[in-house]
Coordinates of all heavy atoms in Angstrom, one line a residue:
F1 N -4.6 6.8 -14.1 CA -3.5 7.8 -14.5 C -3.4 8.0 -16.0 O -2.5 8.7 -16.5 CB -2.2 7.2 -14.0 CG -2.1 7.1 -12.4 CD1 -2.2 5.9 -11.8 CD2 -2.1 8.3 -11.6 CE1 -2.3 5.8 -10.5 CE2 -2.1 8.2 -10.3 CZ -2.2 6.9 -9.6
K2 N -4.3 7.4 -16.7 CA -4.5 7.7 -18.2 C -3.2 7.4 -18.9 O -2.6 8.3 -19.7 CB -4.9 9.1 -18.4 CG -6.3 9.5 -17.8 CD -6.8 10.9 -18.1 CE -8.1 11.1 -17.6 NZ -8.5 10.8 -16.3
V3 N -2.7 6.2 -18.7 CA -1.5 5.8 -19.3 C -1.7 4.4 -20.0 O -2.5 3.6 -19.5 CB -0.2 5.7 -18.4 CG1 0.1 7.1 -17.8 CG2 -0.5 4.7 -17.2
K4 N -1.0 4.1 -21.0 CA -1.1 2.8 -21.6 C 0.0 1.9 -21.1 O 0.0 0.7 -21.3 CB -0.9 3.0 -23.2 CG -2.1 3.6 -23.8 CD -2.0 3.6 -25.3 CE -3.2 4.3 -26.0 NZ -3.0 4.3 -27.5
K5 N 1.1 2.5 -20.6 CA 2.3 1.7 -20.1 C 2.8 2.4 -18.8 O 3.0 3.6 -18.8 CB 3.3 1.7 -21.2 CG 4.5 0.9 -20.9 CD 5.5 1.0 -22.1 CE 6.8 0.3 -21.9 NZ 7.7 0.4 -23.1
I6 N 3.1 1.6 -17.9 CA 3.7 2.0 -16.6 C 5.3 2.1 -16.8 O 5.8 1.1 -17.4 CB 3.4 1.0 -15.4 CG1 1.9 0.8 -15.3 CG2 4.0 1.7 -14.1 CD1 1.5 -0.2 -14.2
T7 N 5.8 3.2 -16.5 CA 7.3 3.3 -16.9 C 8.1 2.2 -16.2 O 9.0 1.7 -16.7 CB 7.8 4.7 -16.5 OG1 7.5 5.0 -15.1 CG2 7.2 5.8 -17.5
V8 N 7.9 2.0 -14.8 CA 8.5 1.0 -14.1 C 7.5 0.3 -13.3 O 7.2 0.6 -12.2 CB 9.7 1.6 -13.2 CG1 10.4 0.5 -12.4 CG2 10.7 2.3 -14.0
P9 N 6.9 -0.9 -13.9 CA 5.9 -1.5 -13.2 C 6.2 -2.1 -11.8 O 5.3 -2.0 -10.9 CB 5.6 -2.8 -14.1 CG 6.0 -2.2 -15.5 CD 7.2 -1.4 -15.2
M10 N 7.4 -2.6 -11.5 CA 7.7 -3.0 -10.2 C 7.6 -1.9 -9.2 O 7.1 -2.3 -8.1 CB 9.3 -3.5 -10.2 CG 9.4 -4.9 -10.5 SD 11.2 -5.4 -10.5 CE 11.6 -5.2 -8.7
A11 N 8.1 -0.7 -9.5 CA 7.9 0.4 -8.5 C 6.4 0.6 -8.2 O 6.1 0.8 -7.0 CB 8.5 1.6 -9.1
A12 N 5.6 0.6 -9.2 CA 4.2 0.8 -8.9 C 3.6 -0.3 -8.1 O 2.8 -0.1 -7.1 CB 3.4 0.9 -10.2
A13 N 3.8 -1.6 -8.5 CA 3.2 -2.7 -7.7 C 3.8 -2.7 -6.3 O 3.0 -3.1 -5.4 CB 3.6 -4.0 -8.4
Q14 N 5.0 -2.6 -6.0 CA 5.6 -2.6 -4.7 C 5.1 -1.5 -3.8 O 4.9 -1.7 -2.6 CB 7.1 -2.7 -4.8 CG 7.6 -4.0 -5.3 CD 9.0 -4.1 -5.8 OE1 9.5 -5.1 -6.3 NE2 9.7 -3.0 -5.7
G15 N 4.9 -0.3 -4.5 CA 4.3 0.9 -3.7 C 2.9 0.5 -3.2 O 2.5 0.8 -2.1
Y16 N 2.2 0.0 -4.2 CA 0.8 -0.4 -3.9 C 0.7 -1.4 -2.8 O -0.1 -1.2 -1.8 CB 0.2 -0.9 -5.2 CG -1.3 -1.4 -5.2 CD1 -2.3 -0.5 -5.4 CD2 -1.6 -2.7 -4.9 CE1 -3.6 -0.9 -5.4 CE2 -2.9 -3.1 -4.9 CZ -3.9 -2.3 -5.1 OH -5.2 -2.7 -5.1
D17 N 1.5 -2.4 -2.9 CA 1.4 -3.5 -1.9 C 1.9 -2.9 -0.5 O 1.4 -3.3 0.6 CB 2.3 -4.7 -2.3 CG 1.6 -5.6 -3.2 OD1 0.4 -5.4 -3.5 OD2 2.2 -6.6 -3.6
S18 N 2.8 -2.0 -0.4 CA 3.3 -1.5 0.8 C 2.3 -0.8 1.6 O 2.2 -0.9 2.8 CB 4.4 -0.5 0.5 OG 5.6 -1.2 -0.1
V19 N 1.3 0.0 0.9 CA 0.3 0.6 1.6 C -0.7 -0.4 2.3 O -1.0 -0.2 3.4 CB -0.5 1.5 0.6 CG1 -1.7 2.1 1.3 CG2 0.3 2.6 0.0
Y20 N -1.0 -1.4 1.6 CA -1.9 -2.4 2.1 C -1.2 -3.2 3.3 O -2.0 -3.5 4.3 CB -2.4 -3.4 1.0 CG -3.6 -2.9 0.2 CD1 -3.4 -2.3 -1.0 CD2 -4.8 -3.0 0.8 CE1 -4.5 -1.8 -1.6 CE2 -6.0 -2.5 0.2 CZ -5.8 -1.9 -1.1 OH -6.9 -1.4 -1.7
L21 N 0.1 -3.5 3.2 CA 0.7 -4.1 4.3 C 0.6 -3.2 5.5 O 0.5 -3.6 6.7 CB 2.2 -4.5 4.0 CG 2.3 -5.6 2.9 CD1 3.7 -5.8 2.7 CD2 1.6 -6.9 3.3
L22 N 0.9 -1.9 5.3 CA 0.8 -0.9 6.5 C -0.6 -1.0 7.1 O -0.8 -1.0 8.3 CB 1.2 0.4 6.0 CG 1.1 1.6 7.0 CD1 1.9 1.2 8.3 CD2 1.5 2.9 6.5
I23 N -1.7 -0.9 6.2 CA -3.0 -0.8 6.8 C -3.4 -2.0 7.4 O -4.1 -2.1 8.4 CB -4.0 -0.3 5.7 CG1 -5.3 0.2 6.3 CG2 -4.4 -1.4 4.7 CD1 -5.1 1.6 6.9
Y24 N -2.9 -3.2 6.9 CA -3.3 -4.5 7.5 C -2.6 -4.5 8.9 O -3.2 -5.1 9.9 CB -2.8 -5.6 6.7 CG -3.8 -6.1 5.7 CD1 -4.5 -5.2 4.9 CD2 -4.1 -7.5 5.5 CE1 -5.4 -5.6 3.9 CE2 -5.0 -7.9 4.5 CZ -5.6 -7.0 3.7 OH -6.6 -7.5 2.8
A25 N -1.4 -4.0 9.0 CA -0.7 -3.9 10.3 C -1.5 -3.0 11.3 O -1.7 -3.4 12.5 CB 0.7 -3.5 10.2
L26 N -1.9 -1.9 10.8 CA -2.7 -1.0 11.6 C -4.0 -1.7 12.2 O -4.3 -1.4 13.4 CB -3.1 0.3 10.9 CG -1.9 1.2 10.5 CD1 -2.5 2.3 9.6 CD2 -1.3 1.8 11.8
F27 N -4.6 -2.5 11.4 CA -5.9 -3.1 11.9 C -5.5 -4.2 12.9 O -6.3 -4.7 13.6 CB -6.6 -3.8 10.7 CG -7.5 -2.8 9.9 CD1 -7.2 -2.6 8.6 CD2 -8.6 -2.2 10.6 CE1 -8.0 -1.6 8.0 CE2 -9.3 -1.3 9.9 CZ -9.1 -1.0 8.6
G28 N -4.2 -4.6 13.0 CA -3.8 -5.5 14.0 C -3.5 -4.9 15.4 O -3.2 -5.7 16.3
I29 N -3.6 -3.7 15.5 CA -3.3 -2.9 16.7 C -4.6 -2.9 17.5 O -5.5 -2.1 17.2 CB -2.8 -1.5 16.5 CG1 -1.4 -1.6 15.7 CG2 -2.5 -0.8 17.8 CD1 -0.8 -0.2 15.4
Q30 N -4.8 -3.7 18.5 CA -6.0 -3.9 19.2 C -6.6 -2.7 19.9 O -7.7 -2.5 19.9 CB -5.9 -5.1 20.1 CG -5.6 -6.4 19.4 CD -6.5 -6.9 18.4 OE1 -7.8 -6.8 18.6 NE2 -6.1 -7.4 17.3
N31 N -5.7 -2.0 20.6 CA -6.3 -0.9 21.4 C -6.4 0.5 20.6 O -6.8 1.5 21.3 CB -5.3 -0.7 22.7 CG -3.9 -0.4 22.3 OD1 -3.6 -0.1 21.1 ND2 -3.0 -0.4 23.3
G32 N -6.0 0.5 19.4 CA -6.1 1.7 18.6 C -5.1 2.7 19.0 O -5.2 3.9 18.5
N33 N -4.1 2.3 19.7 CA -3.0 3.3 20.1 C -1.9 3.3 19.0 O -1.0 2.5 19.0 CB -2.4 2.9 21.4 CG -1.3 3.8 21.9 OD1 -1.4 5.0 21.6 ND2 -0.5 3.3 22.8
I34 N -2.1 4.3 18.1 CA -1.2 4.3 16.9 C 0.0 5.0 17.2 O 0.2 6.2 17.0 CB -2.0 5.0 15.7 CG1 -3.3 4.2 15.4 CG2 -1.2 4.9 14.4 CD1 -3.2 2.8 15.2
T35 N 1.0 4.3 17.7 CA 2.4 4.9 17.9 C 3.3 4.1 17.0 O 3.1 3.1 16.5 CB 2.8 4.6 19.3 OG1 3.0 3.2 19.6 CG2 1.8 5.3 20.3
G36 N 4.6 4.7 16.9 CA 5.6 4.1 16.1 C 5.8 2.6 16.6 O 5.9 1.7 15.8

């Protein structure tokens, strides 16, 4: 993002981790049936 400083680092880090938690959960769905 070509920045020297993140305006609110917590927001960036928590957003980043949220995506990975979601994808890890998706990999836990054995039959590939992606429903809510």
